[in-house]
Amino acid sequence: MTDNAIEISGLKKTYAATGKSAAKEALKGIDLNIPRGSVFGLLGPNGAGKSTLINILAGLVVKSAGSVKIWGFDQDRNPRQSRAAIGIMPQEPHLDPFFTPAGSLDVQAGLYGVPRSQRRTAEILELIGLTDKANAYARSLSGGMRRRLLLGKALVHSPQILVLDEPTAGVDIALRNLLWQNVRRLNDEGMTIILTTHYLEEAEEMCDDIAIINHGEVIIRDSTANLLGRLDSKTLVITPAQDSQLPDLPAAITGKKHDDGTLSFTYQSGQTSADAVLDLLRGANITIQDVKTREADLEDVFLALTSKGG
Ligand SMILES: Nc1ncnc2c1ncn2[C@@H]1O[C@H](COP(=O)(O)OP(=O)(O)OP(=O)(O)O)[C@@H](O)[C@H]1O
């Protein structure tokens, strides 16, 4: 018996070429273990491969190579058991407009072979705050209610693992809070939670462990606490008085010249300082018209991590 909810090894996915586009290697050999009982964050910029990974876990995309074990069950050898162990809340609400929330949950439970006597429709409706909408048509539900229904659908077969794909993209604060309350409660009850998000702050708040994926590879996987220590980076954005190139930079500073002519410099605050960056610029005879600081965003973090070899 393993302590991991998910064990992924050597996972590759290449989407075949189509008429217009070349073949795309979306996952380049992912090795990743996700511990049971954790809230695990899967982060990465657009196109990094997160949805591909999640869709493989969900059985919606067929992998090209590698192995995936879900709750100890190999996806190829034990497809039924591995599928039963995981529930997925997808990004986009694709709901049948003719079903009511109660009806949708019932159909979903049927798809997973949950016997009628074991269905938890009322309990799930309560959890997602849709008890009073149980018999309303899905087309009359607000966007937020549809999202909640998607969460409910992911839970009908009582999976050990719940995957949330960008659950808070474009949702309001009230729904975000409700979703996180639900997630915390489910995790307290023992469910392993995997979520993808673009928001570092959200990952910081919710996740015990984080993996960052970029260009189809895991570039770092660590506890949130360790990672945030590493990501303690700051960025100075300089507007030079004249068009200027990046000066030579020490390893501790990552620089980028932007299309608008500004130069940005990202560094770990423990390793160097704004003063050191300004000294470098003066040394390179760059006259500074304006300086701004900003919190590092995910892109800076990737730059900093990848340029150091991650
Ligand atoms: N069905 C497909 N056919 C061809 N290429 C695809 C397909 N789905 C995804 N890709 C490509 O694979 C790469 C990874 O995409 P994926 O959707 O997994 O990334 P992502 O990290 O989930 O991004 P996002 O945050 O935008 O959802 C991208 O280059 C994307 O264009």
Side-chain angles (χ1 to χ4, degrees), residues 15-16 24-26 44-53 91 166 198:
Y15 290 104
K24 172 76 200 178
E25 194 180 19
N46 287 332
K50 304 177 300 293
S51 297
T52 300
L53 181 56
Q91 260 179 50
E166 298 277 349
H198 280 95

Side-chain angles (χ1 to χ4, degrees), residues 36-50:
R36 292 187 180 201
S38 62
V39 179
F40 193 92
L42 209 52
L43 310 188
N46 287 332
K50 304 177 300 293

Side-chain angles (χ1 to χ4, degrees), residues 45 47 53 68 73-74 83 99 105 110 145-146 157 165 181 188 195-196 219 223 230 232 248 269 276 288 305:
L53 181 56
V68 173
F73 296 108
D74 186 280
R83 197 170 92 98
F99 281 118
L105 294 178
M145 291 173 185
R146 288 173 195 212
H157 56 297
D165 192 6
Q181 263 174 30
D188 286 347
L195 66 96
T196 72
I219 57 170
S223 70
R230 292 178 65 145
D232 183 21
D248 288 337
S269 49
I288 299 166
L305 285 171

